[in-house]
Amino acid sequence: MTRIRIAPSILSADFTCLARAVTEVAEAGADWIHVDVMDGHFVPNLTFGMPIVAALRRITPLPLDVHLMIEAPERYLEAFARAGADGLIVHVEACPHLHRVIQQIRELGLRAGVALNPATPLSALEEILPDVDQVLIMTVNPGFGGQAFIERMLEKVRRARKMIDALGRPIELEVDGGVGPENALALVEAGATVLVAGAYIFEAPQGQPAEAVQRLRKAIQPQ
Ligand code: DX5
Ligand code: ZN
């Protein structure tokens, strides 16, 4: 059975205690750390870049899943690889030469992922799917943590799973945005293998990040 990976997004973490936040979720069983890089152009928000990836690399052995919400990501692939990223995800909407960008990521020895905004049809994957290790379905419009899950994306995840299964390659299917215990099981049943969660884990009013990771894990246990 595929291990469902939980990937806390540090976007909503307390940046004054980032090391503690990461250690807590790692000890609670998080599988990857999701790192949201935004450039203020592709998305209407700015976050952080290579130095944060490099800092995370020093404090955790967990794979760093770097989500590039930036225009022309090819400018920075090498720098993110050097900083210690394990996987780089680029948006199809930001890459007119997507095939080349994916090859560049693979040549760097990293997992290559493609992300789709909610309004981008799955047909955008058709020609690139055989070349990627990971597909990320945005379940909110990218740019901010803490937004509401777009229900219609559940059906998109189901269709993406069918496309991947038809290809017969072990491609991870990741969902990102508004994920929490209330929709996690439905997403896994629809075929998701990686659950990104930011606000639910790091802004949990009812407890600590570690407990939130455990609750998310519990929500996806087969009954
Ligand atoms: C949104 C980012 C997400 C975000 C998810 O643009 O790509 O990774 O942090 O956060 P939540 O879980 O808060 O929706
Ligand atoms: Zn993300």
Side-chain angles (χ1 to χ4, degrees):
M1 221 183 91
T2 328
R3 156 112 178 149
I4 304 300
R5 300 177 205 277
I6 294 180
S9 160
I10 58 152
L11 186 60
S12 298
D14 177 355
F15 292 151
T16 64
C17 306
L18 197 51
R20 193 169 71 204
V22 170
T23 309
E24 275 181 28
V25 294
E27 282 172 2
D31 300 279
W32 292 355
I33 299 297
H34 185 82
V35 186
D36 287 305
V37 178
M38 306 186 189
D39 66 354
H41 290 273
F42 179 65
V43 287
N45 195 8
L46 276 168
T47 54
F48 37 70
M50 289 75 87
I52 290 288
V53 173
L56 289 166
R57 185 70 299 154
R58 289 196 294 274
I59 58 164
T60 182
L62 287 186
L64 300 177
D65 183 45
V66 179
H67 180 188
L68 298 176
M69 286 162 276
I70 64 178
E71 283 176 4
E74 61 277 6
R75 294 172 294 172
Y76 301 109
L77 303 176
E78 220 179 305
F80 277 107
R82 234 179 298 125
D86 293 276
L88 292 176
I89 303 161
V90 295
H91 269 261
V92 302
E93 304 86 358
C95 298
H97 305 291
L98 183 60
H99 183 269
R100 179 184 293 145
V101 178
I102 292 298
Q103 297 311 316
Q104 287 168 341
I105 297 173
R106 292 193 125 183
E107 278 161 21
L108 290 165
L110 306 185
R111 301 178 52 79
V114 283
L116 262 57
N117 282 339
T120 303
L122 284 175
S123 56
L125 290 177
E126 206 175 296
E127 303 297 334
I128 201 68
L129 204 54
D131 297 303
V132 301
D133 302 298
Q134 199 167 327
V135 168
L136 184 153
I137 303 290
M138 286 303 312
T139 43
V140 299
N141 286 291
F144 303 93
Q147 302 180 81
F149 179 80
I150 302 171
E151 291 295 336
R152 202 145 38 85
M153 294 300 112
L154 193 58
E155 176 53 28
K156 192 177 185 181
V157 173
R158 255 181 228 122
R159 282 182 285 123
R161 166 50 55 200
K162 282 200 186 120
M163 286 173 78
I164 292 171
D165 287 350
L167 201 64
R169 285 190 54 242
I171 298 171
E172 298 279 2
L173 182 53
E174 185 168 19
V175 286
D176 187 5
V179 175
E182 67 289 352
N183 53 24
L185 183 60
L187 285 162
V188 169
E189 285 173 350
T193 57
V194 184
L195 304 175
V196 175
Y200 175 70
I201 289 175
F202 290 111
E203 286 172 12
Q206 67 278 56
Q208 298 304 311
E211 291 159 24
V213 171
Q214 286 156 358
R215 276 196 301 270
L216 202 52
R217 178 74 67 197
K218 195 148 174 266
I220 56 173
Q221 290 318 320
Q223 297 309 306

